[in-house]
Each structure stands twice: as structure tokens, then as C-alpha cells.
Amino acid sequence: PRLGSLGIVLQGSALADRQRASLGSPGQANGMQRYIPLILIVVLANALSQALLKAGMAGIGAFRLTQATAGATVLRILLDPYVLGGLTLMVVSMAGHLYVLSRVPLSFAFPFISLSYVVVLAISWYFFGERLNTYHFAGTFFICVGVLFIARAGGEVPESLSSLAAPDERTQ
């Protein structure tokens, strides 16, 4: 399979064999579903990082960047404790996501990230007093249903799948 317009081709069955070996057979508890708790932690960390960034920027308020104020404004933003915490949590979230991506197919892991919309929606309403309407709830429902379908499909590892698996998991 090709990876986008980069034209990089993953070759050989060894990669697919490592993937299958690390995930187990379809339906086994040690398959891709075993990474769902970590994926959900990544989702929660991602959503909380957004809340911290919003809290920081709400404290800073609207600003205008001009040549004269750009340096001081950027420094003020980066040194805000909420913004700093949000950026730090975002890096932690990304590190967890990279760990997950080294073990499961992108097509399985990435759709779970959409659950952060659900968490952000709840945080937006509860902590920031944002108003929600029927469209927010309908969209959230469809996101959850879609992620449920992806999670259910996770037990099946097709022979043709050649995703990146960690080499050290081949022996587990």
C-alpha cells in the first residue's frame, strides 16, 4: 500500500506478519481492543489540553498582534500557566498517541480521537458556560456510534493489512 503522495511503499509480508502476531487472532482480548483504554486516555488528555488552552486564552483576552507588540504578546501567552499546562498536556497526549500508532493500525486508532469532541462539548458547557443545541447533541450521538463501529471492527485483522507494528511485539 502507498502512504499518501509520498509514494513510500511498505513491502514484504514480514511487516504484516508482525502486525498479526502482535494483535493476536480475531476476537482475542489481546487484540487491538486492549489498546482502547490507552486510546481513551489520549483522547481525554487531548480534550483537557484544549480546555486548559481555552482557560488561558480567556484570561488573556482578545489581542491584536502588531510588529511592536508581537514579542511581548507571544511571551505573555506562552508563560500563562493554563496555556503552558495545555501545551504540556498536548505533548503528553501526542506521545501516548504515537505509542498507540506504533501498535495498531491508523484506521483503528485515529477515529477514537473524534471522541475528544464529546469531551470538549461537555467541558465547554460545564466550565465555560457555552450554550449547546440539538445539533450538538445529534452530532455527538453520531460520533459515538461511529467510534463504536470502529471499536467493534478492531478484532479483525485482515491478511492484507500492513500497518506499522513494534518489532519487539513480534515475540509476545
Side-chain angles (χ1 to χ4, degrees), residues 23-28 31-33 108 150-157:
L23 298 175
S25 61
Q28 280 186 326
M32 288 187 281
Q33 284 90 0
F108 178 77
I150 298 293
R152 298 278 300 158
E156 301 174 22
V157 182

Side-chain angles (χ1 to χ4, degrees), residues 5 12-13 19 24 28 30 35 50 56 58 70-71 77-78 83 85 96 99 114 131 145 153 156 163 166 169:
S5 62
S13 63
Q19 175 82 40
Q28 280 186 326
N30 69 344
Y35 292 102
Q50 294 301 311
I77 291 169
L78 291 177
V83 171
Y99 179 84
S114 63
R131 302 190 88 171
V145 169
E156 301 174 22
S163 181
E169 289 201 352

Side-chain angles (χ1 to χ4, degrees), residues 48-135:
L48 291 176
S49 75
Q50 294 301 311
L52 288 170
L53 292 172
K54 173 62 179 170
M57 294 313 295
I60 291 170
F63 61 89
R64 222 169 76 131
L65 284 180
T66 65
Q67 194 172 12
T69 64
T73 302
V74 169
L75 193 59
R76 189 169 131 223
I77 291 169
L78 291 177
L79 293 179
D80 180 87
Y82 288 109
V83 171
L84 194 57
L87 292 173
T88 301
L89 194 52
M90 191 177 286
V91 169
V92 169
S93 172
M94 185 54 62
H97 188 62
L98 292 173
Y99 179 84
V100 168
L101 289 178
S102 73
R103 285 154 174 76
V104 301
L106 179 63
S107 62
F108 178 77
F110 192 73
F112 282 90
I113 300 301
S114 63
L115 287 177
S116 64
Y117 291 118
V118 177
V119 179
V120 167
L121 192 72
I123 289 171
S124 299
W125 170 76
Y126 188 80
F127 290 104
F128 299 110
E130 295 181 12
R131 302 190 88 171
L132 306 178
N133 60 39
T134 306
Y135 293 107

